[in-house]
Amino acid sequence: MSKILAIESSCDETAVAITDGGKLLANVVATQISVHEKYGGVMPEIASRLHCENIAVCLKEALEQSGLRYEDLDAVAVTRGPGLIGCLHIGMQAAKSIAMLYNKPLIPVHHLAGHIYANEYVGELKFPLLCVVVSGGNTELVIMRDHLDFEIIGETKDDAVGECYDKVARVLGLPYPGGVPIDQHAKNGKHTYDLPKPLHGQGYDFSYSGLKTAVINLVNTLKMKGEEIRIDDMARSFQDVAIGMILEKTVKAALDFNVKQIVLAGGVSANSYLREQMHKRFDNSGIELIIPPIWCTTDNAAMIAKVAEHLYEEGFSAPLTIGVDPNWKIDHFREFDS
Ligand code: KG4
């Protein structure tokens, strides 16, 4: 049983969590969304500066919530990548400082492993397992045959699905981040616009850049012709294709790899259509489906602590010379330069 303090700062949330024997004692998240909203996306330099401002406050708040002191901890965990390099550095420096001052092991954690292990707050992971990792920066299908054993079987060749939602929302004049407003508009719309389905029927890989460009071109053409852009219908047409690709490839992978369980992970797993369709396809299929609660679909440190618990049990830690890696691959998460 371990007491872990975990830090997450890979994008626009500064987060600190503390667990004790798997129980979540503190879960502090300072989101920067309202600051980045006006730019229509995350401004990396501003995000790094805000992490600097927020990290000490989040640490203090988490310790207060947990009733623990740094001295009581068994390990300090931190997201090492992937993410925005400047942002990752802030979390890493904070984690290293605590680890050095209090002589605690430092556990580097892969951000997407965190999103996957967030599901352990819902239920036990059962292998072989298919992880559908859909976020603002990543779109991947990952097979796990055991704990901490990740094989990427498919990934996006260009944009991530969440990034595509955000860009499409911007061209439709909807707020950032675009996932929730598109999801809401799609509920009132009909699939009337014809959009391409990149890599449809071709293995487990994804492509979202062509779909994004198709929506942008369509919107510009309609504007030039002075024709009405039906936002609800456009959102529905786009969502059917964007989520349809995930569903198609998930079903194929689940059957091909004969998995026992499917878990959703990442910000886009909050999507209501994806959740509904996953239930439709997998309830009563003999394959168990775990969908994370909304609170752990967005970035948080509770999920980082979950991965760290497993790594701590293995005795896995890193030297204090370790650096961050904005492009760290999940199937190489035990490898780091120092
Ligand atoms: O996991 P996350 O915080 O990003 C990374 O860590 O990379 O997810 C953020 C992404 C954004 O692109 C946002 O638009 C999308 O998740 N998102 C959604 C929904 N809620 C958030 N996308 C589709 N439908 C939603 N309901």
Side-chain angles (χ1 to χ4, degrees), residues 5-9 13-16 28 30 32 48-62 70 78 87 90-95 98:
L5 180 145
I7 300 175
E8 154 65 41
S9 69
E13 265 95 25
T14 320
V16 179
V28 178
Q32 308 173 0
S48 308
R49 283 168 194 270
L50 288 174
H51 285 307
C52 279
E53 284 178 22
N54 294 340
I55 188 71
V57 183
C58 292
L59 284 165
K60 186 166 178 283
E61 170 87 23
Y70 286 125
V78 63
C87 297
I90 314 301
M92 180 60 87
Q93 293 311 322
I98 301 165

Side-chain angles (χ1 to χ4, degrees), residues 111 115 135-137 162-163 165-166 177-180 183 266-268 270-271 297 299:
H111 179 74
H115 275 302
S135 74
E163 186 185 351
Y165 262 88
D166 296 340
V180 172
D183 197 1
V268 181
N271 185 269
T297 59
D299 288 350

Side-chain angles (χ1 to χ4, degrees), residues 9-303:
S9 69
S10 64
C11 190
D12 58 347
E13 265 95 25
T14 320
V16 179
I18 299 176
T19 54
D20 182 359
K23 190 165 169 272
L24 192 56
L25 300 184
N27 187 25
V28 178
V29 182
T31 182
Q32 308 173 0
I33 284 185
S34 60
V35 178
H36 300 292
E37 209 171 24
K38 53 180 167 292
Y39 304 103
V42 177
M43 294 292 282
E45 183 57 32
I46 295 176
S48 308
R49 283 168 194 270
L50 288 174
H51 285 307
C52 279
E53 284 178 22
N54 294 340
I55 188 71
V57 183
C58 292
L59 284 165
K60 186 166 178 283
E61 170 87 23
L63 285 174
E64 278 171 15
Q65 276 184 21
S66 71
L68 298 180
R69 301 161 308 154
Y70 286 125
E71 289 86 340
D72 303 324
L73 300 171
D74 291 306
V76 182
V78 63
T79 303
R80 176 177 181 252
L84 298 169
I85 187 161
C87 297
L88 291 165
H89 272 306
I90 314 301
M92 180 60 87
Q93 293 311 322
K96 279 185 187 177
S97 306
I98 301 165
M100 189 177 72
L101 276 170
Y102 295 91
N103 198 22
K104 306 290 176 189
L106 176 71
I107 303 182
V109 174
H110 192 281
H111 179 74
L112 297 182
H115 275 302
I116 293 167
Y117 273 84
N119 286 287
E120 277 204 330
Y121 287 105
V122 183
E124 189 195 337
L125 302 187
K126 293 174 192 154
F127 308 104
L129 167 79
L130 172 65
C131 318
V132 182
V133 184
V134 282
S135 74
N138 300 275
T139 310
E140 288 178 6
L141 291 181
V142 178
I143 291 287
M144 289 178 73
R145 292 182 179 83
D146 203 346
H147 277 298
L148 303 175
D149 172 12
F150 307 101
E151 184 195 346
I152 302 172
I153 57 161
E155 61 190 330
T156 182
K157 296 286 172 205
D158 38 59
D159 294 351
V161 59
E163 186 185 351
C164 187
Y165 262 88
D166 296 340
K167 301 260 167 65
V168 165
R170 186 149 76 173
V171 78
L172 294 177
L174 300 173
Y176 169 84
V180 172
I182 290 188
D183 197 1
Q184 279 165 353
H185 279 278
K187 286 185 181 140
N188 305 321
K190 290 200 181 69
H191 190 147
T192 53
Y193 293 105
D194 193 22
L195 295 168
K197 292 182 183 167
L199 298 185
H200 169 53
Q202 296 174 48
Y204 310 119
D205 284 334
F206 300 89
S207 167
Y208 281 100
S209 128
L211 175 61
K212 171 191 74 185
T213 309
V215 177
I216 294 172
N217 289 345
L218 186 55
V219 168
N220 288 339
T221 308
L222 291 170
K223 274 187 189 161
M224 272 189 318
K225 288 185 182 164
E227 288 179 24
E228 184 200 0
I229 300 157
R230 298 184 311 278
I231 305 277
D232 290 351
D233 291 349
M234 190 69 83
R236 174 67 188 270
S237 308
F238 163 73
Q239 178 153 287
D240 278 358
V241 176
I243 300 296
M245 286 294 114
I246 298 169
L247 294 167
E248 172 197 314
K249 285 154 199 277
T250 300
V251 171
K252 178 173 165 48
L255 297 177
D256 290 354
F257 286 83
N258 204 11
V259 298
K260 278 208 181 98
Q261 201 178 49
I262 298 177
V263 304
L264 291 188
V268 181
S269 68
N271 185 269
S272 64
Y273 178 63
L274 175 63
R275 288 169 167 248
E276 174 199 299
Q277 290 298 317
M278 291 291 286
H279 276 302
K280 218 171 181 172
R281 282 168 171 77
F282 293 106
D283 287 356
N284 309 315
S285 70
I287 300 173
E288 188 185 342
L289 174 67
I290 302 193
I291 295 189
I294 299 287
W295 74 264
C296 60
T297 59
T298 48
D299 288 350
N300 63 80
M303 65 187 198

